[in-house]
Each structure stands twice: as structure tokens, then as C-alpha cells.
Amino acid sequence: MPYPVVHILFFVFCVSLPGLYGFMQSALGGEVSRRDWWHFFVLLLVGAFCSLLPDIPAVWNYFLYGNLNHCMAGPVPTHSLVFGTVAFCGAFIAGLLVYRHRDRALALGMFAETAFLSHLLLDDIAEGGLTYLYPLHNEPMSVFSYVNVEFSGVNFLYYNLAGIVSVFFIFCVLLMSLMSLHYLGFGFRYHFPQNGPGTNSDHSSVLSRCVSRKIQSADADAVEKIS
């Protein structure tokens, strides 16, 4: 299985690439404040931690028992979708403390779940059997082991379905990342969302600019008439 640094780099530079690109572009343009940098680092810390969360039992096993066993947290397999709820709930609570806004906290929880799933994705590509469906199915399984197969008349449909499922898995992870990053303001162009609905604030700002321009033009016409 990949080393921890590989999981972090894969999540930051591949899964989170749109948000990273948008924020750096805004930062180079001088459009980012100190508060924005704080939210950016919170996002990276949450994502980096949750991208390593499935291997977290290795920490206490190393100090308590001198080994690096990392696949079980008590009776629960850490490389399973059930254990991913820990990432979502923990990030949701952290989002409530940081943003004090429920919807943005939910978006941060989705972002953390994306980081968790990116760990499973890499481990599965490395042909590690994962207990995705615990407790419904306790046997290890690997979706990506069926992607690179030769054409065969036997189980041809099965191999194609497995390949489609693996691609759909990657699609879901990337889509969750895009949706959560966009809602948190880390799209292709960084813009921290306001507390109110975005459309209303946008319309009000556009309306205020139009009113100010009309006032300026009216003042200019009045000055010309007087002169």
C-alpha cells in the first residue's frame, strides 16, 4: 500500500486540484486576505488528516504494541465505508466551530469524506483487498483489480461491469470534491461565500454598482448644465 506522504500528495495535488488552482490564482492576483489564508489552511489540514484516517490505528499500535497494524479499529475495519462516517462527522463538527454555518460545515464534511475515499481509491489501485461493504460483506474485495484484464468470452460482461464501477468510483470522488470545494468558495476562482444566499448578494452588489453609476452620470449632467 502507498506511504502516507503519497496519500497526502495525491489528495492535495490531484483530488483538490481545482480548489488549489483557483486559490493560488486569486492569491497571485492580490485578491486573498489573511482570513482567506486561514480558511485555506483549515481546508488542507482537514483533507490531509482524513486522507490518512484509515491508517490511524498504526499510531497507537506502534506505541503500544510495536507494530504497524492499521486495518482495524477494534472490531471495525478502517478501510470501509462505515468507518468513513468518522471523517464526515468529525469534519462537520470542526466546520461548525470554524464557520458557524451548518451548510458550510456539511460541505467540509463532504470534503473530508472525499479525502477518506481517495485513500481507499489508492489502496485499491495498489491491489489491496478492502472491506468496503462491512458489515454487509466482510470479505476483502478489490474493484480495480478487474480493470486491466484480457478479452475473454468467459465473464466478459462481469469484467466490463467491474471496470465501469471502478471508473464511476473515481467520478464520484472527483464530483464530491468539486461540489464541496465550490460551495466553500474554492472553485476555479476563489471567493469566500457570504452568510446569505449567493445569488441575492450578487444581485445586490450589481444593483448598487448600477445605482452609483447612474448617480455619477446624473451629477455629471447637472454640472454640465450649470456650466
Side-chain angles (χ1 to χ4, degrees):
M1 293 185 180
Y3 282 105
V5 65
V6 178
H7 284 294
I8 294 177
L9 292 178
F10 175 75
F11 177 74
V12 173
F13 292 115
C14 295
V15 180
S16 304
L17 180 60
L20 182 65
Y21 170 79
F23 187 83
M24 289 296 105
Q25 187 180 27
S26 299
L28 293 175
E31 305 173 8
V32 176
S33 64
R34 183 178 300 178
R35 183 198 63 175
D36 298 326
W37 279 103
W38 161 248
H39 288 294
F40 177 68
F41 286 126
V42 168
L43 194 73
L44 286 185
L45 287 175
V46 170
F49 177 78
C50 291
S51 67
L52 299 178
L53 185 61
D55 292 342
I56 199 67
V59 177
W60 62 73
N61 282 330
Y62 177 77
F63 289 105
L64 294 179
Y65 307 109
N67 60 62
L68 294 176
N69 294 334
H70 57 276
C71 295
M72 299 293 295
V76 181
T78 56
H79 293 67
S80 62
L81 298 179
V82 171
F83 194 75
T85 57
V86 176
F88 178 85
C89 295
F92 174 74
I93 295 174
L96 290 177
L97 297 176
V98 173
Y99 299 115
R100 300 184 183 278
H101 192 277
R102 185 192 61 183
D103 292 341
R104 285 202 289 274
L106 288 173
L108 188 64
M110 182 184 294
F111 184 75
E113 185 68 17
T114 305
F116 179 87
L117 292 177
S118 72
H119 184 108
L120 302 188
L121 188 152
L122 269 189
D123 282 356
D124 197 344
I125 292 176
E127 297 183 358
L130 308 180
T131 51
Y132 285 109
L133 303 180
Y134 172 88
L136 300 177
H137 182 71
N138 297 332
E139 295 297 325
M141 56 182 296
S142 177
V143 176
F144 291 92
S145 62
Y146 297 101
V147 175
N148 187 21
V149 295
E150 297 179 355
F151 287 104
S152 173
V154 181
N155 290 330
F156 180 78
L157 179 62
Y158 174 76
Y159 286 135
N160 278 275
L161 288 177
I164 293 172
V165 169
S166 62
V167 173
F168 187 71
F169 181 28
I170 299 175
F171 166 77
C172 290
V173 172
L174 295 178
L175 181 62
M176 289 173 60
S177 176
L178 284 173
M179 291 176 60
S180 57
L181 286 171
H182 176 74
Y183 194 85
L184 292 171
F186 294 89
F188 289 101
R189 194 75 179 181
Y190 174 75
H191 175 71
F192 186 76
Q194 303 298 324
N195 288 331
T199 54
N200 294 337
S201 62
D202 292 341
H203 290 320
S204 62
S205 61
V206 172
L207 181 61
S208 63
R209 287 197 297 268
C210 293
V211 171
S212 62
R213 289 175 182 175
K214 290 182 179 179
I215 293 175
Q216 291 176 359
S217 61
D219 293 340
D221 294 338
V223 170
E224 289 180 358
K225 290 180 180 179
I226 293 175
S227 59

